[in-house]
Amino acid sequence: MWNKIGLIGAMVEEIQRIEERLESRTVTDKAGIRFMEGTFCGKPVVLCKSGVGKVNAAVCTQLLIDRFGVDAVVFTGVAGALDPSLDIGDIVISTDCQQHDMDASPLGFPRGTIPFAETSVFPAHPELVRLAVEASERLAEGRTLQGRVLSGDQFVADRETVRLLHERLGGACTEMEGSAVAQVCAMNGVPYVVIRSMSDKADGSAHVNFAEFAVQAADRSYRIVERMIGSM
């Protein structure tokens, strides 16, 4: 179904395992991002570390589409849990993505709404979601939840903010890149899915949790992506 898949992580820990398995690699540096073309699980892929934040993720995604011709994008990495039923190590597969820090409410737009845009919520591709959920349920030790991934250029670490993002915007988890990837993919008609492993509870305890669990969470995401790509 897909000829070349773009694989993105924001941090080196989120792509390191895939990079180790990448075969027939060629490397291109563009806009400060290293793009590694090769094969992974027998499939043509382009792997890159976008860097943290929505601007980095958007630039990276557009380059994957324009320069490297990917026809699907998978973003993998860690996130903070918003849904109170989630625990560290659980997996969220995006049903859709939205920016939680897009806030033009003084102009009468609900929080999360991009002013004058046709939509502010960007659905993931159903088949990519199915493949990711199937892989996660087979491999992940914890819970696999399909839900909304919220993104913003801020590290959420406040219990009241967690409650509001979950209750008002319906977020399952929060991170800093997924909605930018989703919007760029939607604008270009390219399917995507975001796979996030919970590294913390986004509740102020990340200084205790993040360093300890980020590598483990990234490893869980890697194993899901590996099985997912192998099933395509």
Side-chain angles (χ1 to χ4, degrees):
M1 181 181 293
W2 296 290
N3 297 316
K4 187 186 290 186
I5 303 156
L7 301 176
I8 312 175
M11 303 182 297
V12 65
E13 294 87 352
E14 296 169 335
I15 68 164
Q16 189 170 19
R17 289 286 304 278
I18 300 174
E19 183 178 354
E20 291 169 356
R21 290 280 310 279
L22 199 63
E23 299 177 346
S24 305
R25 182 189 312 177
T26 59
V27 176
T28 304
D29 292 324
K30 182 69 176 176
I33 302 168
R34 175 155 292 182
F35 296 88
M36 294 168 279
E37 295 182 84
T39 57
F40 177 64
C41 299
K43 305 296 190 299
V45 302
V46 185
L47 174 68
C48 50
K49 176 175 71 71
S50 65
V52 174
K54 292 185 297 179
V55 173
N56 283 327
V59 170
C60 180
T61 305
Q62 192 65 57
L63 283 169
L64 280 172
I65 296 167
D66 285 346
R67 180 77 179 265
F68 299 95
V70 304
D71 49 15
V73 174
V74 177
F75 197 105
T76 179
V78 301
L82 296 175
D83 188 316
S85 70
L86 288 168
D87 205 349
I88 293 169
D90 290 346
I91 302 293
V92 172
I93 310 297
S94 64
T95 53
D96 53 36
C97 293
Q98 184 178 14
Q99 298 179 64
H100 69 75
D101 62 347
M102 176 62 69
D103 188 0
S105 54
L107 300 178
F109 297 94
R111 180 173 178 173
T113 299
I114 303 170
F116 315 115
E118 291 185 4
T119 184
S120 303
V121 177
F122 304 97
H125 191 277
E127 180 63 11
L128 291 176
V129 172
R130 185 192 69 80
L131 288 168
V133 169
E134 183 179 84
S136 181
E137 289 180 342
R138 284 180 176 271
L139 296 172
E141 298 173 1
R143 183 184 181 199
T144 298
L145 176 68
Q146 299 179 56
R148 176 166 296 168
V149 174
L150 296 180
S151 308
D153 286 322
Q154 54 190 251
F155 196 103
V156 175
D158 173 75
R159 287 182 175 83
E160 180 62 16
T161 302
V162 167
R163 185 185 67 81
L164 291 174
L165 292 181
H166 177 59
E167 293 180 0
R168 295 187 183 179
L169 294 181
C173 67
T174 180
E175 36 86 300
M176 302 175 75
E177 297 84 24
S179 67
V181 172
Q183 184 173 348
V184 171
C185 284
M187 294 169 73
N188 288 274
V190 172
Y192 86 92
V193 69
V194 174
I195 301 167
R196 291 292 192 176
S197 181
M198 302 302 101
S199 61
D200 63 89
K201 301 277 282 184
D203 61 358
S205 61
H207 66 286
V208 176
N209 297 334
F210 190 82
E212 181 179 353
F213 292 105
V215 174
Q216 297 176 32
D219 182 67
R220 290 187 183 95
S221 296
Y222 159 76
R223 288 187 282 116
I224 294 168
V225 171
E226 180 185 40
R227 186 177 185 92
M228 180 185 174
I229 299 299
S231 299
M232 286 184 176

